[in-house]
Each structure stands twice: as structure tokens, then as C-alpha cells.
């Protein structure tokens, strides 16, 4: 028969009951599919289609989900879907046991079957498997949707990713690229002598980033704890301890807004290397992304958010002062007074945050944040951030108002953040105290005071370069995805009830 569609007069409850009745009948016949523990496959659809001459007339055992079914007489055609795609199977009443053939006639779309037979090409030219045996391996008690489309159905795709993967197998490509990208990063770092480590997800303090944490409670210790908002401070402790090249790939949790670029839990790589600085981190960031594009996609050009992005090595490097001068038309290098800097920002329609001090650095950053970031399409390293927004970063020796920090922007999105790490414990304490002042004014996304981290710095940390890179956004870039939800298998969703 044609691709199965539930009869219009049947509602979902009736369809579910029909499938349960079929399962009950199978159990009564001693054909309960859920008692089968194993089926040994000898071939997959993609391999058979790619090497038909090698498989022609060869006996194979294949398994997959029934996605189409045609014919109800003495011959049945069906399509089964396995990890490599779909392949047609052909069943004839005179080529298999009557019991197997009769049982297959009752198979529904979505059921998982195993078949044995030989590979051939039909008169219509389609590579198929002529079945000699067929067994139902799992009964689908719910009908598959025909396809997903539109905004409402996108929500359903994210909520029921398992159905999305069945009906839209092409979405697996994004997750395969993501997996290969993470594997590429590990190889890249390991070749450079880095050690992969693990640090706590639960902490008594939330540090290493300007973000609002999730709070939970530890019953045995009877204390509140924070899910980590960064892995920075534990990794720097390891640098102090003599582990000179470390990295961690792991989940981060931030109790903040959600949009196409943000999910409350996301994956990053953070890495730290003793005796290096932000310029070494630039080389690593560029090497990871350009090398991954070449290896995973076959070239340096990708299309993302409607833009042709060129990842060829040799990315632009621009100080924040120069970027504001170029894109906004005002020169903060010519201003030294805080009040004049704030007025300069206002002259181009930029206002500072209500909780921010009226300083030269905050005025510069506000101009960049509000007027420049949205214009950065091709890979660009923005360097030398104001000290006010970089509490963990070493100051620029030529201008102590600035820090040796960069952020990498591609197609209006921040992809990586890196520092020449602050290793002066006295300066670090002063900056922590400044963050506490901002917290007292109502900014709950500032750094907490971490006394143990300050103690670690007092033992001495060598000059160190460090970087954090968002795995999810990199996966969006490499797969051309417009939403972070398209590269996270199980994105955070509000319950329907």
C-alpha cells in the first residue's frame, strides 16, 4: 500500500489501541518482539548501495525501522531505515515461511524489523534485498508523523528529538559534525602536549565568569552550592600546581536568558598554558577552527546566517580602540578624562549601564558592545579590553586602563574569549573587591570573592595564557545552523504543562 496514513476518522487514541491490539495478538501467537535480545546484522544500507557489485546475490542480514510499505497481496515492498540511510526490501509469499509473511503483513510504519535475504536490483533499477526471513524486533506503539515543518513543529522536534531523528535523518549530520569537531579538538590539544582534566561541576562559589549561577543544595553538608559557570579558576589552580598545559571540555551552566545563541547549559573547552599569552591563544583558536573546517568540511569557506565566511588562516586582529574608531568614528585614544569619554560615547548615541561606573573603560566598552559587535562578520580578534570588564586579566603594560584580552567574533557572534592571565594576587584581590561593590549595587553577574584562589596565586602562578571557546557556537558555524538548539541534542525547553 502507499505510505501509511492513519484513517481520518481515527483519532490518536484509536490508533494507539489498534497497535496495542496487534501487539497482544503477537504475544498470543508466541511472537512477542520484546523478548528478542539480539539480531546480528551483516550489512548496512549505505555500504550495500555503494558497493552493489560486491554485494549482488550475496546473502545479508539487515535491520532497521520500517519507513514505507507497499503491496498487500503475495508481494510486499517496504523501506527500512538504518544508520546509513534507507534500503528497499522485497517479500514474496513463496520465498519465505507462510508464518513470517503473514506476520510481516501486519507490520506498521515505525516498527523495527530484521530481515535475511540476498541483494538484487529490481526491474525498476532499485537496489533491494529479496527477503527469505523476516522478524519483528520491536513494535512501535505510536504512529510516526509524516514530517515536521513550521515553528510549532520545530518546538516539537526539540522536545522529542528521538522522533526528529527518525523522521528527519538529515539532522544527524549536525550532531555527527559536532562529535567529530570535539574529537578534532582533543587531537589538536593532545598533539601540543596538553593534558585533559576534569574539575568540579558543583562549587561553593561561582567564579571565572560574569554570569548568574544556578543554585542547588547539598543535603549531607547542608550547604547551598553553585553549578559551575566556568572552569577557569580550578584550571588555573592546576597551573599553579605545575600542570603547565591543561584543558577541559565540559558542560557549563548559567541561569540566564535563552535565544538562538544561548542555552542555559552549554559546552566549552577551556585551556591554560604556562609561559604563554593571549597571542599564543589566538594561534590556537585560529588553528582549531580553520583546521576543523578543512578536515571536516574539506575547505575554509562556510555559509552561516546568510554570510559567506572565510576561515582561511590569517584572521584580522584589531584593538578595541581601533575597532571603535573604524566602525563608530570616535577615537578614545585621544581622550584620557573619564567624563569626556562618557560624553564621547553619548555623542554617538551610546549610554552606559546604570550599574557601571562612569569611566573611560566602560565608555569604550559600551561603544564597542552597542555599535561594533554587530558589524563583525569575518573572523576578527578584538584585543585590549578595558580592565573594568576583565577582572581576571593581566593589564597591558603600555596602558594600564586596558588588559591583554581578546574575543573572537565571527558573523556577529562571540566564539572565544582569551587572556594573558592575571597572576598578581594583590591586583586580583583589588579587582575582586571592585566586583563585590558592583554586586552590592544590584549586579548579580559579577565575580564572587574566592579566597582559596587568591591563596593559590600567592604561591606563584607563572605567566599564563588561557582561553574559553564555545563548542555549541562552533558547531553552529560548521553546520550552518541558525539556532543553538539545532546543535544540542536535548536543548532546555519549558514544560508544556
Amino acid at each position: 500500500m502507499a505510505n501509511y496514513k492513519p484513517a481520518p476518522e481515527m483519532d490518536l487514541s484509536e490508533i494507539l489501541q489498534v497497535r496495542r491490539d496487534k501487539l497482544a495478538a503477537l504475544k498470543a501467537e508466541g511472537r512477542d518482539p520484546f523478548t528478542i535480545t539480539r539480531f546480528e546484522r551483516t550489512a548496512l544500507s549505505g555500504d550495500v548501495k555503494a558497493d552493489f557489485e560486491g554485494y549482488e546475490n550475496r546473502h545479508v542480514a539487515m535491520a532497521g525501522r520500517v519507513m514505507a510499505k507497499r503491496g498487500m497481496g503475495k508481494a510486499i515492498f517496504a523501506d527500512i531505515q538504518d544508520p546509513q540511510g534507507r534500503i528497499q526490501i522485497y517479500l514474496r509469499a513463496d520465498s519465505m515461511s507462510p508464518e513470517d509473511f503473514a506476520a510481516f503483513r501486519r507490520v506498521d510504519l515505525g516498527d523495527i524489523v530484521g530481515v535475511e535475504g540476498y541483494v538484487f536490483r529490481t526491474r525498476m533499477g532499485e537496489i533491494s534485498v529479496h527477503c527469505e526471513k523476516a522478524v519483528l524486533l520491536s513494535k512501535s506503539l505510536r504512529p510516526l508523523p509524516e514530517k515536521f515543518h513550521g515553528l510549532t513543529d520545530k518546538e516539537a522536534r526539540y522536545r522529542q528529538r528521538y522522533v526528529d531523528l527518525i523522521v528527519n535523518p538529515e539532522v544527524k549530520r549536525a550532531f555527527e559534525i559536532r562529535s567529530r569537531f570535539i574529537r578534532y579538538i582533543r587531537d589538536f590539544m593532545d598533539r601540543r602536549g596538553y593534558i585533559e582534566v576534569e574539575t568540579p561541576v558543583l562549587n561553593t562559589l561561582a567564579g571565572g565568569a560574569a554570569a548568574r549561577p544556578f543554585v542547588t543544595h547539598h543535603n549531607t553538608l547542608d550547604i547551598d552550592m553553585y553549578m559551575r559557570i566556568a572552569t577557569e579558576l580550578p584550571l588555573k589552580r592546576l597551573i599553579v600546581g605545575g600542570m603547565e598545559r591543561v584543558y577541559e571540555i565540559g558542560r557549563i551552566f548559567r541561569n540566564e536568558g535563552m535565544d538562538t545563541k544561548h542555552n542555559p547549559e552549554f559546552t566549552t573547552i577551556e585551556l591554560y598554558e604556562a609561559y604563554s599569552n593571549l597571542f599564543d591563544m589566538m594561534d590556537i583558536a585560529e588553528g582549531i577552527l580553520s583546521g576543523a573546517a578543512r578536515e571536516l568540511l574539506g575547505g575554509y569557506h562556510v555559509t552561516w546566517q546568510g554570510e559567506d565566511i572565510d576561515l582561511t588562516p590569517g584572521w584580522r586582529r584589531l584593538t578595541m580602540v581601533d575597532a571603535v574608531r573604524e566602525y563608530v568614528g570616535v577615537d578614545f585614544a585621544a581622550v584620557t578624562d573619564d567624563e569626556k569619554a562618557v560624553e564621547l560615547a553619548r555623542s554617538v548615541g551610546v549610554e552606559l549601564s546604570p550599574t557601571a561606573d562612569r569611566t573611560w573603560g566602560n565608555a569604550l566598552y559600551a561603544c564597542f558592545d552597542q555599535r561594533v559587535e554587530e558589524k563583525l562578520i569575518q573572523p576578527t580578534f578584538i584585543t585590549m579590553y578595558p580592565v573594568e570588564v576583565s577582572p581576571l586579566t593581566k593589564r597591558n603594560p603600555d596602558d594600564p586602563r586596558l588588559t591583554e584580552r581578546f574575543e573572537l567574533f565571527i558573523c556577529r557572534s562571540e566564539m572565544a574569549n582569551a587572556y594573558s592571565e592575571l597572576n598578581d594576587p594583590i591586583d586580583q584581590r583589588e579587582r575582586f573587591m571592585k566586583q563585590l561593590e558592583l554586586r552590592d549595587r544590584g549586579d548579580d553577574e559579577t565575580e564572587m570573592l574566592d579566597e582559596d584562589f587568591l591563596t593559590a596565586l600567592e604561591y606563584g602562578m607563572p605567566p599564563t595564557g588561557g582561553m574559553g571557546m564555545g563548542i555549541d557556537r562552533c558547531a553552529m558555524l560548521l553546520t550552518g545552523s541558525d539556532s543553538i538548539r539545532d546543535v544540542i541534542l536535548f536543548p532546555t525547553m519549558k514544560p508544556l504543562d
Side-chain angles (χ1 to χ4, degrees), residues 360 364 384-387 394-396 399-404:
W360 179 91
L364 169 63
M384 306 306 162
Y385 276 57
V387 69
K394 184 168 287 191
R395 293 178 189 265
N396 182 338
D399 187 343
R401 298 175 301 177
L402 299 174
T403 62
E404 291 198 346

Side-chain angles (χ1 to χ4, degrees), residues 154-162 164-165 175 178 251 258-267 472 483-495:
K154 265 201 166 186
E155 293 289 313
R157 287 175 53 194
Y158 300 141
R159 292 181 189 279
Q160 295 183 303
R161 183 67 80 183
Y162 43 91
D164 185 26
L165 292 168
F175 299 107
R178 178 192 174 106
R251 213 68 159 171
M258 298 166 56
D259 56 34
T260 57
K261 295 180 182 179
H262 297 87
N263 193 66
E265 54 177 314
F266 57 98
T267 304
D472 309 288
S483 171
I484 195 171
R485 293 180 175 186
D486 291 327
V487 296
I488 296 177
L489 280 167
F490 301 101
T492 304
M493 304 290 292
K494 186 177 181 179

Side-chain angles (χ1 to χ4, degrees), residues 245-273:
R245 296 188 179 195
V246 293
Y247 75 95
E248 179 171 11
I249 296 175
R251 213 68 159 171
I252 302 298
F253 307 87
R254 296 183 181 177
N255 195 359
E256 300 174 341
M258 298 166 56
D259 56 34
T260 57
K261 295 180 182 179
H262 297 87
N263 193 66
E265 54 177 314
F266 57 98
T267 304
T268 67
I269 174 175
E270 282 203 50
L271 58 106
Y272 294 86
E273 180 178 338

Side-chain angles (χ1 to χ4, degrees), residues 112-178:
I112 297 173
V113 300
V115 299
E116 295 181 35
Y118 61 88
V119 177
F120 77 111
R121 193 187 294 273
T122 67
R123 278 181 285 183
M124 298 297 293
E126 185 163 358
I127 296 171
S128 307
V129 178
H130 192 297
C131 298
E132 298 167 331
K133 293 182 181 179
V135 59
L136 180 63
L137 301 175
S138 182
K139 182 68 183 170
S140 174
L141 298 180
R142 285 183 175 269
L144 295 176
E146 291 184 57
K147 60 183 176 180
F148 289 130
H149 55 84
L151 178 62
T152 301
D153 290 327
K154 265 201 166 186
E155 293 289 313
R157 287 175 53 194
Y158 300 141
R159 292 181 189 279
Q160 295 183 303
R161 183 67 80 183
Y162 43 91
V163 182
D164 185 26
L165 292 168
I166 294 169
V167 178
N168 301 314
E170 67 277 4
V171 305
K172 284 190 289 189
R173 176 181 177 273
F175 299 107
E176 289 167 351
I177 290 176
R178 178 192 174 106

Side-chain angles (χ1 to χ4, degrees), residues 19 22-27 29-39 62-66 69 80 91 96 99-115 133-141:
R19 293 203 173 202
K22 287 185 178 182
L23 176 61
L26 287 167
K27 290 181 176 179
E29 297 169 9
R31 288 177 171 265
D32 183 355
F34 299 121
T35 62
I36 298 173
T37 61
R38 190 170 188 273
F39 183 87
M62 304 184 73
R65 190 180 297 273
V66 177
K69 186 180 173 191
I80 62 172
L91 303 91
M96 56 197 309
E99 294 80 11
D100 280 1
F101 187 79
F104 196 89
R105 290 181 64 177
R106 290 176 286 172
V107 162
D108 290 310
L109 295 194
D111 289 354
I112 297 173
V113 300
V115 299
K133 293 182 181 179
V135 59
L136 180 63
L137 301 175
S138 182
K139 182 68 183 170
S140 174
L141 298 180

Side-chain angles (χ1 to χ4, degrees), residues 206-211 229-230 232-233 254 392 419 445-448:
I229 57 174
E232 177 168 348
L233 302 188
R254 296 183 181 177
L392 297 165
Y419 312 150
E445 295 186 358
T446 55
E447 291 278 350
M448 296 181 180

Side-chain angles (χ1 to χ4, degrees), residues 2-74:
N3 288 3
Y4 171 75
K5 295 181 183 178
E9 66 274 9
M10 294 178 66
D11 62 26
L12 180 61
S13 62
E14 291 176 307
I15 297 168
L16 297 179
Q17 188 57 53
V18 167
R19 293 203 173 202
R20 280 159 174 73
D21 291 343
K22 287 185 178 182
L23 176 61
L26 287 167
K27 290 181 176 179
E29 297 169 9
R31 288 177 171 265
D32 183 355
F34 299 121
T35 62
I36 298 173
T37 61
R38 190 170 188 273
F39 183 87
E40 185 173 354
R41 286 194 292 205
T42 62
L44 293 171
S45 61
D47 296 333
V48 171
K49 290 182 175 181
D51 184 23
F52 174 69
E53 291 184 0
Y55 277 96
E56 187 175 13
N57 296 320
R58 188 165 134 192
H59 188 272
V60 295
M62 304 184 73
R65 190 180 297 273
V66 177
M67 301 302 292
K69 186 180 173 191
R70 304 168 292 280
M72 287 298 289
K74 294 184 178 181

